[in-house]
Amino acid sequence: MRIATWNVNSIRSRVERVEAWLQRSDIDVLAIQETKAREDQFPLERFTELGYEVAHHGLNQWNGVAILSRVGMEDVSIGFDGDPGWGDPVAPEARSIGATCGGVRVWSLYVPNGRALGDPHMDYKLGWLEQLRQRAGEWAAEDTPLALCGDWNIAPRDEDVWSMEYYADKTHVSPPERAAFDAFLDDGFVDVVRPHTPGPEVYTYWDYQRLAFPKRRGMRIDFVLGSAALAERVSGAAIDREERKGKGASDHAPVIVGLDGDDGAAAPREAK
């Protein structure tokens, strides 16, 4: 079984690339972030024609999360209990969706950006993560293996950014953000990808500006955190950096995890 997570930065702009990548990489479950689409705008039929069941949560042209599964889909959850809101009036955003796929509980998560140190959005980000951590601890106590997949908007280690000097006064690397990420690890979750893709200079995101990708100026901010029951089934993982190349690419690369004998590191590969 192969699970992947990918911030596609607009599903409508990149549906052809996502379709081709799914077929080429033989993915069973894909957690998508930043669909930037309402429910009526999501290209549902494009994926059902490939044999995937689809669950999508999108409210407007911002945010948006989805799960695609060809190994079944049950118990879809839109958001989580206590999900903090944002805006005026304050309301939960389309940042989380969960479903049980092939015996694994998968969550697609798009963590708030934070915008700037000292910005109210940073308080929102940290509060959102704390509420997620509390719920995730409850989910992990259940029998079903749990995968928290997504764009965490945090680089938890110095090696996860191309320059700590550059990011010294910016978000994603601040002590409070890193502490919020580490709190999941302290609760028993495992970064199941890093052991198979060690750094430094291993990234999942590269800005579109200033030739960041060819200059290898990236960040590692997309992760799969697994419960103990999930982590023990992981046999490999990969970051498909090649998918960041070419016309119309997302600014994020897909992250793939192989379970139960699938090495995961063979991405991309020919579809079966």
Side-chain angles (χ1 to χ4, degrees), residues 80-106:
F80 53 85
D81 291 342
D83 187 343
W86 179 255
D88 186 15
V90 174
E93 297 182 297
R95 293 187 176 274
S96 61
I97 189 169
T100 301
C101 308
V104 176
R105 187 66 177 170
V106 176

PDB file of all heavy atoms in Angstrom, residues 80-106:
ATOM      1  N   PHE A  80     -11.961  18.661  12.560  1.00  0.00           N
ATOM      2  CA  PHE A  80     -11.855  17.899  13.806  1.00  0.00           C
ATOM      3  C   PHE A  80     -12.488  18.695  14.939  1.00  0.00           C
ATOM      4  O   PHE A  80     -12.625  19.929  14.871  1.00  0.00           O
ATOM      5  CB  PHE A  80     -10.400  17.550  14.120  1.00  0.00           C
ATOM      6  CG  PHE A  80      -9.446  18.720  14.135  1.00  0.00           C
ATOM      7  CD1 PHE A  80      -9.284  19.504  15.270  1.00  0.00           C
ATOM      8  CD2 PHE A  80      -8.695  19.026  13.011  1.00  0.00           C
ATOM      9  CE1 PHE A  80      -8.406  20.573  15.286  1.00  0.00           C
ATOM     10  CE2 PHE A  80      -7.805  20.101  13.012  1.00  0.00           C
ATOM     11  CZ  PHE A  80      -7.656  20.871  14.149  1.00  0.00           C
ATOM     12  N   ASP A  81     -12.874  18.001  15.984  1.00  0.00           N
ATOM     13  CA  ASP A  81     -13.516  18.650  17.127  1.00  0.00           C
ATOM     14  C   ASP A  81     -12.593  19.715  17.719  1.00  0.00           C
ATOM     15  O   ASP A  81     -11.404  19.460  17.967  1.00  0.00           O
ATOM     16  CB  ASP A  81     -13.850  17.624  18.211  1.00  0.00           C
ATOM     17  CG  ASP A  81     -14.956  16.675  17.786  1.00  0.00           C
ATOM     18  OD1 ASP A  81     -15.680  17.010  16.827  1.00  0.00           O
ATOM     19  OD2 ASP A  81     -15.080  15.600  18.408  1.00  0.00           O
ATOM     20  N   GLY A  82     -13.141  20.903  17.931  1.00  0.00           N
ATOM     21  CA  GLY A  82     -12.343  21.986  18.493  1.00  0.00           C
ATOM     22  C   GLY A  82     -11.510  22.725  17.480  1.00  0.00           C
ATOM     23  O   GLY A  82     -10.678  23.571  17.855  1.00  0.00           O
ATOM     24  N   ASP A  83     -11.700  22.432  16.201  1.00  0.00           N
ATOM     25  CA  ASP A  83     -10.959  23.091  15.130  1.00  0.00           C
ATOM     26  C   ASP A  83     -11.112  24.608  15.264  1.00  0.00           C
ATOM     27  O   ASP A  83     -12.201  25.138  15.107  1.00  0.00           O
ATOM     28  CB  ASP A  83     -11.524  22.621  13.788  1.00  0.00           C
ATOM     29  CG  ASP A  83     -10.727  23.102  12.592  1.00  0.00           C
ATOM     30  OD1 ASP A  83      -9.930  24.046  12.743  1.00  0.00           O
ATOM     31  OD2 ASP A  83     -10.904  22.536  11.501  1.00  0.00           O
ATOM     32  N   PRO A  84     -10.023  25.342  15.563  1.00  0.00           N
ATOM     33  CA  PRO A  84     -10.143  26.791  15.722  1.00  0.00           C
ATOM     34  C   PRO A  84     -10.516  27.463  14.401  1.00  0.00           C
ATOM     35  O   PRO A  84     -10.224  26.951  13.323  1.00  0.00           O
ATOM     36  CB  PRO A  84      -8.737  27.223  16.160  1.00  0.00           C
ATOM     37  CG  PRO A  84      -8.091  25.979  16.671  1.00  0.00           C
ATOM     38  CD  PRO A  84      -8.666  24.866  15.840  1.00  0.00           C
ATOM     39  N   GLY A  85     -11.156  28.596  14.495  1.00  0.00           N
ATOM     40  CA  GLY A  85     -11.547  29.317  13.300  1.00  0.00           C
ATOM     41  C   GLY A  85     -10.725  30.557  13.060  1.00  0.00           C
ATOM     42  O   GLY A  85      -9.909  30.977  13.884  1.00  0.00           O
ATOM     43  N   TRP A  86     -10.958  31.162  11.907  1.00  0.00           N
ATOM     44  CA  TRP A  86     -10.268  32.393  11.518  1.00  0.00           C
ATOM     45  C   TRP A  86     -11.247  33.239  10.711  1.00  0.00           C
ATOM     46  O   TRP A  86     -12.191  32.719  10.127  1.00  0.00           O
ATOM     47  CB  TRP A  86      -9.036  32.058  10.677  1.00  0.00           C
ATOM     48  CG  TRP A  86      -8.285  33.280  10.220  1.00  0.00           C
ATOM     49  CD1 TRP A  86      -8.261  33.836   8.979  1.00  0.00           C
ATOM     50  CD2 TRP A  86      -7.437  34.096  11.030  1.00  0.00           C
ATOM     51  NE1 TRP A  86      -7.462  34.953   8.959  1.00  0.00           N
ATOM     52  CE2 TRP A  86      -6.936  35.145  10.219  1.00  0.00           C
ATOM     53  CE3 TRP A  86      -7.063  34.070  12.381  1.00  0.00           C
ATOM     54  CZ2 TRP A  86      -6.080  36.135  10.688  1.00  0.00           C
ATOM     55  CZ3 TRP A  86      -6.206  35.052  12.859  1.00  0.00           C
ATOM     56  CH2 TRP A  86      -5.713  36.062  12.020  1.00  0.00           C
ATOM     57  N   GLY A  87     -10.999  34.545  10.677  1.00  0.00           N
ATOM     58  CA  GLY A  87     -11.806  35.424   9.849  1.00  0.00           C
ATOM     59  C   GLY A  87     -12.798  36.223  10.653  1.00  0.00           C
ATOM     60  O   GLY A  87     -12.833  36.188  11.894  1.00  0.00           O
ATOM     61  N   ASP A  88     -13.602  36.987   9.942  1.00  0.00           N
ATOM     62  CA  ASP A  88     -14.628  37.831  10.538  1.00  0.00           C
ATOM     63  C   ASP A  88     -15.939  37.641   9.771  1.00  0.00           C
ATOM     64  O   ASP A  88     -16.090  38.128   8.661  1.00  0.00           O
ATOM     65  CB  ASP A  88     -14.203  39.300  10.478  1.00  0.00           C
ATOM     66  CG  ASP A  88     -15.158  40.228  11.201  1.00  0.00           C
ATOM     67  OD1 ASP A  88     -15.992  39.727  11.985  1.00  0.00           O
ATOM     68  OD2 ASP A  88     -15.062  41.449  10.972  1.00  0.00           O
ATOM     69  N   PRO A  89     -16.881  36.882  10.330  1.00  0.00           N
ATOM     70  CA  PRO A  89     -16.847  36.255  11.658  1.00  0.00           C
ATOM     71  C   PRO A  89     -15.918  35.045  11.687  1.00  0.00           C
ATOM     72  O   PRO A  89     -15.612  34.455  10.657  1.00  0.00           O
ATOM     73  CB  PRO A  89     -18.300  35.834  11.863  1.00  0.00           C
ATOM     74  CG  PRO A  89     -18.789  35.565  10.463  1.00  0.00           C
ATOM     75  CD  PRO A  89     -18.144  36.607   9.608  1.00  0.00           C
ATOM     76  N   VAL A  90     -15.483  34.701  12.885  1.00  0.00           N
ATOM     77  CA  VAL A  90     -14.582  33.567  13.051  1.00  0.00           C
ATOM     78  C   VAL A  90     -15.300  32.277  12.695  1.00  0.00           C
ATOM     79  O   VAL A  90     -16.417  32.026  13.159  1.00  0.00           O
ATOM     80  CB  VAL A  90     -14.059  33.497  14.501  1.00  0.00           C
ATOM     81  CG1 VAL A  90     -13.230  32.238  14.711  1.00  0.00           C
ATOM     82  CG2 VAL A  90     -13.241  34.736  14.820  1.00  0.00           C
ATOM     83  N   ALA A  91     -14.674  31.474  11.844  1.00  0.00           N
ATOM     84  CA  ALA A  91     -15.252  30.195  11.422  1.00  0.00           C
ATOM     85  C   ALA A  91     -14.128  29.256  11.018  1.00  0.00           C
ATOM     86  O   ALA A  91     -13.080  29.699  10.526  1.00  0.00           O
ATOM     87  CB  ALA A  91     -16.213  30.397  10.247  1.00  0.00           C
ATOM     88  N   PRO A  92     -14.296  27.939  11.216  1.00  0.00           N
ATOM     89  CA  PRO A  92     -13.270  26.990  10.785  1.00  0.00           C
ATOM     90  C   PRO A  92     -13.031  27.077   9.280  1.00  0.00           C
ATOM     91  O   PRO A  92     -13.962  27.279   8.491  1.00  0.00           O
ATOM     92  CB  PRO A  92     -13.856  25.632  11.177  1.00  0.00           C
ATOM     93  CG  PRO A  92     -14.811  25.928  12.264  1.00  0.00           C
ATOM     94  CD  PRO A  92     -15.407  27.267  11.917  1.00  0.00           C
ATOM     95  N   GLU A  93     -11.769  26.929   8.888  1.00  0.00           N
ATOM     96  CA  GLU A  93     -11.404  26.931   7.476  1.00  0.00           C
ATOM     97  C   GLU A  93     -11.309  25.494   6.961  1.00  0.00           C
ATOM     98  O   GLU A  93     -11.361  24.536   7.729  1.00  0.00           O
ATOM     99  CB  GLU A  93     -10.062  27.640   7.293  1.00  0.00           C
ATOM    100  CG  GLU A  93     -10.102  29.101   7.697  1.00  0.00           C
ATOM    101  CD  GLU A  93      -8.777  29.798   7.451  1.00  0.00           C
ATOM    102  OE1 GLU A  93      -7.776  29.401   8.083  1.00  0.00           O
ATOM    103  OE2 GLU A  93      -8.739  30.726   6.629  1.00  0.00           O
ATOM    104  N   ALA A  94     -11.147  25.367   5.644  1.00  0.00           N
ATOM    105  CA  ALA A  94     -11.051  24.039   5.028  1.00  0.00           C
ATOM    106  C   ALA A  94      -9.603  23.561   5.089  1.00  0.00           C
ATOM    107  O   ALA A  94      -8.871  23.598   4.102  1.00  0.00           O
ATOM    108  CB  ALA A  94     -11.548  24.096   3.589  1.00  0.00           C
ATOM    109  N   ARG A  95      -9.206  23.086   6.271  1.00  0.00           N
ATOM    110  CA  ARG A  95      -7.806  22.715   6.496  1.00  0.00           C
ATOM    111  C   ARG A  95      -7.605  21.267   6.928  1.00  0.00           C
ATOM    112  O   ARG A  95      -6.457  20.840   7.087  1.00  0.00           O
ATOM    113  CB  ARG A  95      -7.185  23.638   7.542  1.00  0.00           C
ATOM    114  CG  ARG A  95      -7.047  25.080   7.078  1.00  0.00           C
ATOM    115  CD  ARG A  95      -6.280  25.925   8.077  1.00  0.00           C
ATOM    116  NE  ARG A  95      -6.058  27.276   7.590  1.00  0.00           N
ATOM    117  CZ  ARG A  95      -5.041  27.640   6.823  1.00  0.00           C
ATOM    118  NH1 ARG A  95      -4.149  26.742   6.452  1.00  0.00           N
ATOM    119  NH2 ARG A  95      -4.905  28.894   6.437  1.00  0.00           N
ATOM    120  N   SER A  96      -8.655  20.517   7.128  1.00  0.00           N
ATOM    121  CA  SER A  96      -8.469  19.132   7.582  1.00  0.00           C
ATOM    122  C   SER A  96      -9.627  18.261   7.127  1.00  0.00           C
ATOM    123  O   SER A  96     -10.785  18.673   7.167  1.00  0.00           O
ATOM    124  CB  SER A  96      -8.322  19.071   9.108  1.00  0.00           C
ATOM    125  OG  SER A  96      -9.480  19.565   9.745  1.00  0.00           O
ATOM    126  N   ILE A  97      -9.260  17.050   6.718  1.00  0.00           N
ATOM    127  CA  ILE A  97     -10.259  16.045   6.362  1.00  0.00           C
ATOM    128  C   ILE A  97      -9.654  14.684   6.658  1.00  0.00           C
ATOM    129  O   ILE A  97      -8.459  14.448   6.433  1.00  0.00           O
ATOM    130  CB  ILE A  97     -10.676  16.157   4.879  1.00  0.00           C
ATOM    131  CG1 ILE A  97     -11.878  15.257   4.581  1.00  0.00           C
ATOM    132  CG2 ILE A  97      -9.524  15.883   3.937  1.00  0.00           C
ATOM    133  CD1 ILE A  97     -12.505  15.522   3.215  1.00  0.00           C
ATOM    134  N   GLY A  98     -10.468  13.783   7.206  1.00  0.00           N
ATOM    135  CA  GLY A  98      -9.991  12.453   7.556  1.00  0.00           C
ATOM    136  C   GLY A  98     -10.867  11.375   6.956  1.00  0.00           C
ATOM    137  O   GLY A  98     -12.061  11.579   6.723  1.00  0.00           O
ATOM    138  N   ALA A  99     -10.276  10.210   6.714  1.00  0.00           N
ATOM    139  CA  ALA A  99     -11.026   9.059   6.214  1.00  0.00           C
ATOM    140  C   ALA A  99     -10.223   7.801   6.494  1.00  0.00           C
ATOM    141  O   ALA A  99      -8.991   7.835   6.583  1.00  0.00           O
ATOM    142  CB  ALA A  99     -11.300   9.184   4.717  1.00  0.00           C
ATOM    143  N   THR A 100     -10.920   6.684   6.624  1.00  0.00           N
ATOM    144  CA  THR A 100     -10.262   5.390   6.796  1.00  0.00           C
ATOM    145  C   THR A 100     -10.173   4.723   5.433  1.00  0.00           C
ATOM    146  O   THR A 100     -11.181   4.486   4.774  1.00  0.00           O
ATOM    147  CB  THR A 100     -11.045   4.505   7.776  1.00  0.00           C
ATOM    148  OG1 THR A 100     -11.137   5.185   9.035  1.00  0.00           O
ATOM    149  CG2 THR A 100     -10.342   3.173   7.978  1.00  0.00           C
ATOM    150  N   CYS A 101      -8.941   4.443   5.020  1.00  0.00           N
ATOM    151  CA  CYS A 101      -8.667   3.920   3.674  1.00  0.00           C
ATOM    152  C   CYS A 101      -7.792   2.673   3.794  1.00  0.00           C
ATOM    153  O   CYS A 101      -6.665   2.753   4.306  1.00  0.00           O
ATOM    154  CB  CYS A 101      -7.940   4.963   2.835  1.00  0.00           C
ATOM    155  SG  CYS A 101      -8.742   6.589   2.776  1.00  0.00           S
ATOM    156  N   GLY A 102      -8.311   1.546   3.362  1.00  0.00           N
ATOM    157  CA  GLY A 102      -7.517   0.327   3.418  1.00  0.00           C
ATOM    158  C   GLY A 102      -7.046  -0.025   4.805  1.00  0.00           C
ATOM    159  O   GLY A 102      -5.942  -0.553   4.980  1.00  0.00           O
ATOM    160  N   GLY A 103      -7.856   0.272   5.805  1.00  0.00           N
ATOM    161  CA  GLY A 103      -7.492  -0.053   7.187  1.00  0.00           C
ATOM    162  C   GLY A 103      -6.590   0.957   7.857  1.00  0.00           C
ATOM    163  O   GLY A 103      -6.139   0.718   8.996  1.00  0.00           O
ATOM    164  N   VAL A 104      -6.313   2.087   7.212  1.00  0.00           N
ATOM    165  CA  VAL A 104      -5.480   3.138   7.785  1.00  0.00           C
ATOM    166  C   VAL A 104      -6.311   4.412   7.903  1.00  0.00           C
ATOM    167  O   VAL A 104      -7.000   4.805   6.954  1.00  0.00           O
ATOM    168  CB  VAL A 104      -4.229   3.408   6.921  1.00  0.00           C
ATOM    169  CG1 VAL A 104      -3.427   4.581   7.478  1.00  0.00           C
ATOM    170  CG2 VAL A 104      -3.358   2.158   6.838  1.00  0.00           C
ATOM    171  N   ARG A 105      -6.248   5.054   9.050  1.00  0.00           N
ATOM    172  CA  ARG A 105      -6.921   6.337   9.230  1.00  0.00           C
ATOM    173  C   ARG A 105      -5.999   7.437   8.715  1.00  0.00           C
ATOM    174  O   ARG A 105      -4.911   7.661   9.259  1.00  0.00           O
ATOM    175  CB  ARG A 105      -7.240   6.565  10.704  1.00  0.00           C
ATOM    176  CG  ARG A 105      -8.101   7.811  10.967  1.00  0.00           C
ATOM    177  CD  ARG A 105      -9.479   7.660  10.372  1.00  0.00           C
ATOM    178  NE  ARG A 105     -10.342   8.823  10.671  1.00  0.00           N
ATOM    179  CZ  ARG A 105     -11.522   9.015  10.114  1.00  0.00           C
ATOM    180  NH1 ARG A 105     -12.000   8.143   9.230  1.00  0.00           N
ATOM    181  NH2 ARG A 105     -12.249  10.074  10.426  1.00  0.00           N
ATOM    182  N   VAL A 106      -6.409   8.102   7.659  1.00  0.00           N
ATOM    183  CA  VAL A 106      -5.591   9.111   6.992  1.00  0.00           C
ATOM    184  C   VAL A 106      -6.219  10.484   7.195  1.00  0.00           C
ATOM    185  O   VAL A 106      -7.418  10.667   6.972  1.00  0.00           O
ATOM    186  CB  VAL A 106      -5.473   8.815   5.486  1.00  0.00           C
ATOM    187  CG1 VAL A 106      -4.690   9.915   4.772  1.00  0.00           C
ATOM    188  CG2 VAL A 106      -4.828   7.462   5.255  1.00  0.00           C
TER     189      VAL A 106
END
